[in-house]
Amino acid sequence: MTGLLATSWYEEKWLNNWEIPFGKWVEEAINWLNVEAELFFAIIKWPFEHLLDLITNDVLLQIPWPFMLLLFIVVGTLTREFKVGVAAAAGILLSGVLGPDYWRFTMQTIGIILVSVIICVIVGLPYGVLCARSNRVWNLTRPVLDGMQLIHPFTYLIPIIFFFGTGPVGGTVATMVFALPPMIRLTYLGIRQVPEDVVEAARSYGASGLRVLTDVQLPLARPAIMTGINQTLLLSLSMVGIIAVIAGGGLGQLVLRGINTFDAALGASSGLALYLVGVAMDRLSQPDPKDNRALIRRMSAAMRGVYTVPPPLSGEATGEPVEPVVVESPGFKSPAIAARSLAGAALGIVGGLLVVSSMFFSWVDGAGRLSGFARLGGQAPESFSDLDADQLDELKSLCRPEARSAGCWYDDRLLDGSFNGYEASGGSWFGIFVFALGVAAVLASALVLAGSRDRWLRWLSAPLGQVVSGGAVVATVVLFLLTTPPKISITTEAGPELVSVATNHGVGIWIALGGGLLLFFSGLLAHGMGFDRRYGNYRAGPALLSLVAIGLLVMAAFSNWINDERPGALTPQQEQMVAEERANPSAESASIVAQIIGQARGGPKHYSGFDELGPGFGRGMVVLSVIIGVVVLFMYLLPWAIALFDAMLLALGLAALLSVGAWVLGFLRVADNGIYTGFGALPALAGGALIVATVIGRMYQRYLDDREAADAAIVV
């Protein structure tokens, strides 16, 4: 990739040399899910399909228009008042007389909106209640809701088309995705804003959790929930015009037709009809601030219940004196702990320096261990941007015999040299990331040793910081060691055979491993194994998220890690066949070579995590998943060491992020056009990010709880 050297880094052309294949990862995921999860999507599609058919075709379009208008008047009178019902019926009537078949399109629009709102309420109301009852669920849900609202609807129309097809069903699914977040958010806010004293009063009278929810929280949250239903309806209406591009049906189809045909009359009339339907549905669903009769009835029913008085929960209720809680100040350290911390910091500096120095030693001796996969089939020598002049001269002597007639191309799988931690044929981004972890460990440990601070971050103590950095270095290096070297095809007496190229691990990677282990164990020494029974209640929650992360890593292990989409790209066996034909030409050689190349152009080649020709990341992901599972198991068996196990989990999550990120970035550094990293990188990155985000949130919450307890308690 000579452009990396020929173009200045601040020019736009420099950016064009990098391409993270996120779109191709998503395309792979869609193709795989369409085959493997066909039943799952059929189950999701079933309620949309049948509800649309029931509500639109069997109900709305079967009711004569005068009775439909009467129904709008009745519904408006019951939910709001008589004049609102009459106004809504008038708007629907006007929508139906704006043109031929407008009544049918109006009913289709109302059907799509009703199905979307019904499903959003069925899903969003209980899930909003769950979010209100669990901070952990809400913290995980909030970024997902942000993404659902921030991503433009046209973006997720693409996968919806592939999974559910075009037409009203796909359009309704897209509408629900866009309209669901307000229902969840406002249900959550409504329940959270119920006064705590009201809830405590209900509990003190013996009400169960379910009774508190149904008789106190939901009635008091009714205005917010109704507002959520109203906002869901309006967002569903706003999607009617957008889903028309995938034949979603309804009045949006007429609007799109008017735009495509430049028909101003059609566009104006269909736009007015859509506006009238929106106003009518909005007025019927708006919560009336003056109407609190249902709320009063629910509250009075709850007040009439007979409850038993629960027993006193503490000595304070019985009049007995309550002894104050005595805890140590977060800033207090016994002499033994202080000495252990200083010793750990000193060892941390030594371990960090070893990790830093490892990048300048040899990581790979021989052919590029990972970069060879990015240069499948050979490249011109000028494309090896990480080689100096002497190495290029040496490379020119390794011209493959079968490539001589094609201008003498070279293959990174045949390189022979020594490459350090930052060279593309050496450690590449693996070495760079390990170097960054070592620098962070040295600087933080030096500050602790100098006495200017005793923590790495507000939520991360110095000993646990060494555990995290050392564990991340060790896990990243181990994942690098578990990769398989590239293979080439050679001809033996038994025929073509795949053999691994001559490549060995250099001394630098072993120095990094030793430095990481020293960092890790020095953190254990300074932490004193982290036994603290105050943290036993923090073990709840990580199991489910860790299982999800493990599932993502296992999915990544069996997914594709390399996609070769170059036109005419040959496998090693095909390369050998072409070489033999060119070495012993005959009358049929030209047609045979053309046939082999034609077969190669027939489709892309994929190399999975366990493929013989792949990089072997499948083994590393499985090993990482097993270790994460073991750490979570010990977290439950030894809850008093939860802080230490959280640090280990954070190290493993960082290792997943850094190793997969290093693979993707290292591939971009040297890959030929048409060779991309596969879909396996996406679930691996997601699994690592899930672990990192979860553990950091839990460690930060523990830090806040410790501060709060220290401020409220008597400090010794």
Side-chain angles (χ1 to χ4, degrees), residues 361-429:
F361 290 89
S362 170
W363 273 55
V364 174
D365 292 328
R369 189 173 186 88
L370 293 180
S371 58
F373 292 102
R375 290 163 169 163
L376 293 172
Q379 293 188 38
E382 291 79 9
S383 65
F384 295 94
S385 58
D386 56 298
L387 304 182
D388 56 27
D390 294 337
Q391 290 172 324
L392 281 175
D393 291 339
E394 183 180 358
L395 178 63
K396 291 178 181 179
S397 65
L398 298 174
C399 176
R400 292 179 298 158
E402 64 269 24
R404 288 172 182 165
S405 60
C408 197
W409 282 41
Y410 307 90
D411 198 326
D412 187 37
R413 294 171 293 179
L414 301 177
L415 284 176
D416 186 17
S418 180
F419 305 97
N420 60 30
Y422 61 84
E423 290 181 300
S425 295
S428 191
W429 281 91

Side-chain angles (χ1 to χ4, degrees), residues 353-363 419-423 426-436 439 507-509 511-512:
L353 288 175
L354 286 174
V355 172
V356 169
S357 64
S358 69
M359 190 177 73
F360 304 99
F361 290 89
S362 170
W363 273 55
F419 305 97
N420 60 30
Y422 61 84
E423 290 181 300
S428 191
W429 281 91
F430 279 88
I432 295 171
F433 285 150
V434 166
F435 174 82
V439 170
V507 66
I509 196 169
I511 294 175

Side-chain angles (χ1 to χ4, degrees), residues 136 139-140 459 535-546 631-632 635-636 642-650 690-706:
R136 208 170 270 111
N139 290 333
L140 292 173
W459 52 270
Y535 295 150
N537 62 325
Y538 287 94
R539 65 178 178 172
L544 178 60
L545 296 176
S546 299
V631 172
V632 174
M635 184 181 296
Y636 276 78
I642 187 74
L644 183 59
F645 292 132
D646 266 346
M648 294 180 183
L649 273 182
L650 181 57
L690 180 60
I691 292 176
V692 169
T694 303
V695 173
I696 289 178
R698 197 160 58 245
M699 296 176 81
Y700 186 71
Q701 185 62 46
R702 270 202 307 272
Y703 164 77
L704 294 178
D705 291 346
D706 285 346

Side-chain angles (χ1 to χ4, degrees), residues 424-563:
S425 295
S428 191
W429 281 91
F430 279 88
I432 295 171
F433 285 150
V434 166
F435 174 82
L437 289 172
V439 170
V442 169
L443 293 178
S445 299
L447 291 174
V448 173
L449 194 62
S452 61
R453 60 186 304 174
D454 60 351
R455 306 182 72 87
W456 281 28
L457 298 168
R458 286 197 304 166
W459 52 270
L460 185 63
S461 67
L464 292 183
Q466 291 175 215
V467 171
V468 171
S469 60
V473 169
V474 170
T476 302
V477 170
V478 168
L479 288 174
F480 185 88
L481 292 172
L482 288 175
T483 58
T484 57
K487 295 179 176 62
I488 59 175
S489 177
I490 62 173
T491 302
T492 64
E493 295 180 357
E497 181 181 349
L498 287 175
V499 297
S500 298
V501 299
T503 176
N504 299 300
H505 298 297
V507 66
I509 196 169
W510 302 112
I511 294 175
L513 182 61
L517 289 172
L518 183 58
L519 267 174
F520 181 81
F521 286 108
S522 64
L524 291 182
L525 170 67
H527 189 64
M529 298 306 293
F531 294 123
D532 195 334
R533 296 185 182 274
R534 290 180 299 165
Y535 295 150
N537 62 325
Y538 287 94
R539 65 178 178 172
L544 178 60
L545 296 176
S546 299
L547 288 177
V548 174
I550 290 173
L552 289 171
L553 293 176
V554 172
M555 179 192 300
F558 291 92
S559 300
N560 294 327
W561 284 85
I562 298 177
N563 290 329

